[in-house]
């Protein structure tokens, strides 16, 4: 306490010399660094005094144990989930799904089957609005297309965004086919990071990809190099959900063997895929559902929006695909994994996918970007700051020297022009002066001649006393 009192008196003395003594010249000589040092010292001192006053037996940084208390009656905060529910329903939800795969694997059809609505345009839709020659060009594009729909179910509103990648893997060389998709995902992270850095963050929009469904061609062998490259590059950037497209072309045995080969390739190449997590407070039924979902990864799916009456005449309509040997039912778990995929993606783990995107994937991207900018654990790296400061000072010095050189060059050019103009003026002045002098001399000469000529005429005139002859005329003949 003695040390704290001494520090307090020292701080009061220093602060008084700056704040209260306005007329003292010494106070005015304090620089910005001195003021910052005093402010930092005041913050540390205030923290130490607060810690020692409020918790004399607790050291700074020590964790205070949490004690569980038993209530004597109902308070009411058990209704907090209901409050969150009402707020969420009022605000609405948003979800962004990216679908990636080669053309013809049924990406748009699966989305329309999942949400039971024509949300994503199919190739048939493109064919209705474009000519036959343009249809092939559209299907081969590598541009990323985004479709947003507002849907509602039982009063719950969902803003659904579908990001399609038509033409992925349709070229001869597909080594860089994943780069436009990876760029799009990172740009969405950058857009969200930019919104977080703004002063006003009330109207933030979340355009980040919450789930990426990757369609694997039903070859029945193993993952191709295209599949491995894409899944390895994007597994750490997005919640990757692999599915076997059009699994109805394979038998049950072939599907099971194909799943095993895919999982072996995923483990061999250390590929990250989304797997639902089991939490401590999950009930046994939820744990069993999660285990069932994990056991079906990768999902063997069949998508179809067509309905058939089955059995005929029963009035019972099912979604599926009709073959000569029977009907593949989309909503039958014995036929495909569509129901399990929909259950995980929409009914049980949609919010968990968003939470994993925000707390794990986006935070990882954000941490990397902040480190690149010189930030570490919320603080600026001093070494990086000093390096950038020196680089900025060198840049400013170089710019100042360049501006000074340009200024001197302009001044020299102007002085040269002025000197040249001055010499021209002096030459013209001398020329005009010489002309005037010549004109003066000419006038003097003419004056002299005129004066000399006048004197000669005066010497040859009549003598004094001589008679002047009379002019002859008509009347002067006498």
């Amino acid at each position: 306490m003695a040390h704290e009192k001494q520090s307090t008196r020292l701080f009061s003395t220093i602060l008084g010399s700056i704040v209260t003594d306005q007329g003292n010249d010494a106070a005015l000589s304090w620089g910005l660094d001195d003021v910052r040092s005093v402010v930092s010292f005041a913050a540390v001192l205030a923290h130490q005094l607060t810690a020692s006053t409020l918790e004399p037996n607790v050291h700074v940084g020590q964790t205070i144990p949490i004690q569980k208390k038993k209530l004597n009656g109902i308070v009411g905060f058990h209704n907090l989930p209901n409050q969150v529910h009402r707020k969420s329903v009022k605000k609405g939800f948003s979800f962004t799904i990216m679908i990636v795969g080669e053309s013809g694997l049924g990406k748009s059809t699966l989305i329309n089957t999942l949400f039971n609505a024509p949300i994503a345009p199919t190739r048939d839709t493109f064919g209705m609005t474009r000519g036959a020659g343009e249809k092939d060009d559209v299907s081969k594009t590598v541009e990323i297309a985004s479709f947003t729909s507002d849907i509602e179910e039982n009063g719950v509103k969902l803003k659904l965004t579908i990001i399609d990648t038509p033409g992925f893997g349709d070229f001869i060389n597909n080594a860089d086919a994943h780069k436009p998709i990876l760029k799009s995902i990172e740009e969405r992270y950058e857009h969200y990071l930019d919104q977080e850095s703004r002063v006003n963050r009330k109207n933030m929009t979340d355009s980040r990809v919450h789930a990426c469904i990757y369609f694997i061609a039903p070859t029945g062998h193993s993952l191709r190099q295209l599949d491995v490259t894409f899944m390895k590059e994007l597994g750490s950037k997005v919640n990757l959900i692999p599915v076997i497209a059009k699994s109805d072309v394979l038998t049950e045995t072939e599907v099971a063997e194909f799943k095993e080969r895919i999982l072996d390739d995923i483990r061999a190449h250390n590929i990250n895929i989304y797997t639902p997590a089991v939490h401590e407070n999950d009930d046994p039924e939820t744990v069993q559902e999660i285990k069932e979902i994990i056991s079906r990864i990768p999902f063997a799916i069949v998508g179809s929006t067509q309905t058939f009456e089955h059995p005929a005449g029963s009035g019972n309509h099912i979604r599926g695909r009709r073959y000569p040997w029977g009907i593949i039912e989309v909503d039958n778990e014995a036929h495909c994994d569509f129901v399990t995929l929909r259950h995980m993606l929409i009914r049980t783990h949609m919010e968990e996918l968003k939470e994993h995107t925000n707390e794990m994937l986006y935070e990882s991207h954000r941490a990397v970007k902040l480190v690149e900018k010189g930030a570490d654990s919320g603080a600026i790296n001093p070494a990086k700051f000093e390096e950038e400061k020196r680089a900025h000072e060198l840049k400013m010095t170089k710019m100042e020297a360049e501006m000074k050189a340009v200024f001197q060059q302009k001044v020299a050019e102007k002085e040269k022009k002025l000197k040249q103009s001055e010499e021209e003026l002096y030459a013209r002045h001398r020329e005009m002066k010489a002309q005037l002098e010549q004109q003066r001399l000419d006038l003097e000469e003419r004056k002299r001649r005129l004066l000399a000529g006048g004197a000669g005429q005066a010497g040859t005139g009549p003598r004094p006393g001589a008679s002047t002859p009379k002019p002859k005329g008509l009347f002067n003949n006498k």
Side-chain angles (χ1 to χ4, degrees):
M1 293 298 295
H3 176 69
E4 294 173 358
K5 291 181 179 179
Q6 183 179 2
S7 301
T8 305
R9 289 194 299 269
L10 177 60
F11 170 68
S12 301
T13 303
I14 297 174
L15 189 62
S17 65
I18 298 176
V19 178
T20 60
D21 193 4
Q22 297 293 335
N24 193 356
D25 295 337
L28 299 177
S29 64
W30 281 71
L32 183 58
D33 294 337
D34 300 325
V35 176
R36 288 176 177 171
S37 300
V38 172
V39 173
S40 300
F41 171 73
V44 174
L45 181 60
H47 177 72
Q48 292 179 352
L49 291 174
T50 303
S52 61
T53 302
L54 298 180
E55 296 291 342
N57 298 325
V58 178
H59 298 285
V60 178
Q62 180 179 351
T63 303
I64 303 176
I66 300 176
Q67 298 179 0
K68 294 184 178 180
K69 301 293 184 179
K70 185 177 180 180
L71 302 178
N72 296 325
I74 299 297
V75 177
F77 60 81
H78 67 281
N79 289 315
L80 284 174
N82 298 331
Q83 299 177 29
V84 175
H85 176 265
R86 290 195 301 269
K87 180 180 178 181
S88 300
V89 170
K90 181 180 178 181
K91 182 179 179 181
F93 300 87
S94 63
F95 194 64
T96 302
I97 303 176
M98 174 179 281
I99 49 178
V100 182
E102 299 175 67
S103 300
L105 292 181
K107 301 186 296 295
S108 300
T109 302
L110 175 63
I111 295 298
N112 296 335
T113 308
L114 280 171
F115 294 94
N116 200 18
I119 295 175
T122 60
R123 289 188 297 173
D124 296 335
T125 306
F126 282 118
M128 295 173 61
T129 57
R130 292 177 173 86
E134 297 179 358
K135 184 177 179 180
D136 292 335
D137 295 336
V138 172
S139 63
K140 298 297 182 181
T141 182
V142 295
E143 294 182 359
I144 295 176
S146 178
F147 311 95
T148 302
S149 303
D150 292 327
I151 56 180
E152 184 175 351
E153 182 183 37
N154 295 334
V156 178
K157 298 179 181 180
L158 175 65
K159 183 179 180 181
L160 179 65
T161 302
I162 305 298
I163 304 174
D164 195 4
T165 57
F168 171 81
D170 293 340
F171 299 98
I172 298 177
N173 183 8
N174 296 304
D176 298 333
H178 65 281
K179 290 185 177 180
I181 302 173
L182 179 62
K183 181 181 178 182
S184 175
I185 294 174
E186 292 182 342
E187 285 178 349
R188 292 172 181 271
Y189 284 152
E190 287 294 323
H191 178 68
Y192 193 81
L193 180 60
D194 179 66
Q195 291 183 102
E196 282 189 332
S197 304
R198 297 176 183 174
V199 176
N200 187 359
R201 299 186 296 178
K202 292 182 179 180
N203 299 322
M204 291 179 59
T205 57
D206 187 5
S207 61
R208 297 171 296 181
V209 179
H210 303 126
C212 177
I213 304 177
Y214 183 70
F215 289 72
I216 302 173
T219 60
H221 302 293
S222 60
L223 293 178
R224 299 168 299 171
Q225 184 59 40
L226 173 65
D227 304 326
V228 173
T229 302
F230 176 85
M231 297 174 70
K232 191 173 181 64
E233 290 292 334
L234 273 75
S236 60
K237 298 291 184 180
V238 71
N239 293 318
L240 189 62
I241 303 175
V243 299
I244 301 174
K246 295 186 174 181
S247 62
D248 52 341
V249 302
L250 303 174
T251 64
E252 290 185 19
T253 304
E254 291 173 341
V255 169
E257 294 176 352
F258 193 28
K259 285 187 175 183
E260 288 295 329
R261 296 191 187 98
I262 292 175
L263 292 176
D264 291 340
D265 290 340
I266 289 175
R267 286 188 290 265
H269 294 90
N270 196 22
I271 297 174
N272 296 322
I273 61 173
Y274 175 75
T275 304
V278 178
H279 303 284
E280 295 181 359
N281 56 348
D282 289 340
D283 55 81
E285 183 180 355
T286 303
V287 173
Q288 184 60 33
E289 289 180 356
I290 295 175
K291 289 182 179 180
E292 177 66 20
I293 292 173
I294 296 175
S295 66
R296 290 180 176 264
I297 297 175
F299 302 98
I301 53 96
V302 176
S304 176
T305 56
Q306 297 180 350
T307 59
F308 303 94
E309 189 178 7
H310 183 75
S314 64
N316 181 33
H317 291 81
I318 61 173
R319 295 187 301 176
R321 293 182 178 273
R322 185 190 295 275
Y323 292 94
W325 43 265
I327 297 178
I328 292 291
E329 299 180 25
V330 172
D331 299 295
N332 191 340
E333 293 187 74
H335 291 184
C336 65
D337 300 330
F338 171 80
V339 175
T340 307
L341 173 64
R342 182 184 61 188
H343 190 74
M344 181 200 75
L345 191 64
I346 301 175
R347 299 185 179 181
T348 60
H349 288 79
M350 178 179 284
E351 283 299 316
E352 186 171 316
L353 286 166
K354 296 175 63 176
E355 182 179 349
H356 187 264
T357 300
N358 183 59
E359 296 182 358
M360 300 298 296
L361 302 174
Y362 169 70
E363 284 298 323
S364 177
H365 175 85
R366 177 176 174 272
V368 171
K369 292 301 179 181
L370 291 179
V371 169
E372 290 179 356
K373 295 179 180 180
D376 185 12
S377 301
I380 299 178
N381 189 347
K384 185 73 174 179
F385 178 78
E386 290 296 330
E387 181 180 355
E388 293 180 354
K389 181 180 178 181
R390 288 193 297 269
H392 180 71
E393 291 177 351
L394 291 175
K395 181 180 179 181
M396 294 301 296
T397 304
K398 182 179 179 181
M399 291 178 61
E400 183 180 0
E402 292 177 353
M403 293 177 64
K404 187 176 181 180
V406 172
F407 177 76
Q408 291 178 350
Q409 181 181 359
K410 294 293 184 181
V411 171
E413 292 177 356
K414 193 67 176 178
E415 288 180 350
K416 183 178 180 181
K417 289 181 179 180
L418 291 175
K419 187 175 181 180
Q420 184 177 359
S421 300
E422 184 180 6
E423 291 178 354
E424 291 177 355
L425 288 174
Y426 275 121
R428 185 172 180 79
H429 175 70
R430 288 192 298 269
E431 182 180 357
M432 293 179 65
K433 187 176 180 180
Q435 291 178 359
L436 290 174
E437 183 65 21
Q438 185 65 34
Q439 290 179 3
R440 188 183 68 80
L441 294 176
D442 293 342
L443 290 174
E444 291 289 338
E445 180 65 22
R446 291 179 61 183
K447 179 180 179 181
R448 187 182 63 79
R449 292 179 180 179
L450 287 174
L451 292 175
Q457 290 180 1
T460 56
R463 291 190 302 268
S467 61
T468 302
K470 295 181 180 179
K472 293 181 179 182
L474 179 61
F475 299 102
N476 296 324
N477 294 330
K478 295 180 178 181

